[in-house]
Amino acid sequence: MKNVKQTRLLFIVICIYVSSNQLVAQFNNNHRFYIEIGYAGGTQFPSSSSVGVYGAAGVFFKSFNKPASIDFRSKELYVTNPDQQATLITLTYRMSIVKGLFIGIGAAHGHQIMMNDFMNEPTSALAGSNEHIMHGSGFNTELGYNFKPFLKRIYPNVLVSYTQVMGHHRNFPNLTVSAGLRIGLKKMG
């Protein structure tokens, strides 16, 4: 019962924090180009959890008179049940809904390989050329939030993404939650 009360309290605090978006949200920190790094975790359906790291590079612009971006993102994940290594690569168009909150949709490609094959030949597994690797392509959807910077060019964000990758007579649906730091590179001109 104590855990339920703590979870409710945490949910209420997050709602208050997000709802006061004038204090914590921002569109893009006035930078045209950015890179992003962080951690990702989630699940690969039907019953495999996943954890790993990600990196991204992107560009901001105006679309429909609102800030938008296109980014290229790569996630390296360890997937359980059975032990596997997975790479998810996405190219996503994002559009701001309200200050801080954005949605995205795009294309995805994935590689997945059993962990013992990955450990025996990590270079070919990461390059996607290992003969035991499973390739697939599909789509990616995202919902995320950009926070105000704690330094001039560095600001945190969170992202929930659903990626459906199909290939080799198998589907690899992934639901991941990512938290990272975005670093603005060049000011908008």
Side-chain angles (χ1 to χ4, degrees):
M1 194 65 169
K2 182 179 177 185
N3 287 340
V4 172
K5 288 180 182 179
Q6 288 176 345
T7 305
R8 284 183 189 164
L9 178 62
L10 180 62
F11 179 74
I12 290 169
V13 169
I14 289 172
C15 287
I16 291 170
Y17 187 68
V18 170
S19 67
S20 63
N21 68 1
Q22 293 299 327
L23 301 174
V24 299
Q26 69 168 26
F27 282 123
N28 72 351
N29 203 19
N30 298 316
H31 286 91
R32 179 170 301 283
F33 301 103
Y34 64 89
I35 60 173
E36 193 176 318
I37 56 172
Y39 293 102
T43 183
Q44 184 178 82
F45 298 107
S47 61
S48 298
S49 58
S50 62
V51 65
V53 295
Y54 76 92
V59 60
F60 277 107
F61 55 92
K62 286 276 190 177
S63 177
F64 302 108
N65 211 22
K66 287 193 170 200
S69 67
I70 291 180
D71 80 3
F72 176 79
R73 183 173 302 269
S74 179
K75 297 176 189 168
E76 286 293 326
L77 302 169
Y78 167 73
V79 180
T80 64
N81 192 23
D83 290 345
Q84 300 172 63
Q85 184 272 341
T87 302
L88 292 174
I89 301 166
T90 60
L91 181 63
T92 306
Y93 166 78
R94 296 172 167 177
M95 185 172 176
S96 293
I97 299 173
V98 294
K99 191 173 184 180
L101 187 66
F102 61 88
I103 58 171
I105 188 164
H109 182 75
H111 300 158
Q112 198 152 332
I113 190 167
M114 298 302 287
M115 191 53 77
N116 58 350
D117 292 325
F118 175 75
M119 296 305 282
N120 290 336
E121 297 180 47
T123 306
S124 66
L126 289 172
S129 61
N130 189 295
E131 62 187 37
H132 298 113
I133 207 162
M134 295 172 278
H135 290 267
S137 294
F139 68 92
N140 180 58
T141 58
E142 300 178 342
L143 177 66
Y145 195 81
N146 294 322
F147 296 93
K148 280 198 170 187
F150 57 88
L151 293 174
K152 242 181 186 180
R153 297 174 22 191
I154 301 172
Y155 50 107
N157 64 11
V158 293
L159 175 69
V160 177
S161 60
Y162 176 78
T163 308
Q164 176 72 48
V165 180
M166 298 146 290
H168 292 285
H169 308 293
R170 222 177 133 195
N171 290 331
F172 304 104
N174 289 274
L175 180 65
T176 56
V177 177
S178 306
L181 297 175
R182 184 172 291 167
I183 302 164
L185 298 178
K186 182 181 177 184
K187 287 279 190 184
M188 291 184 120

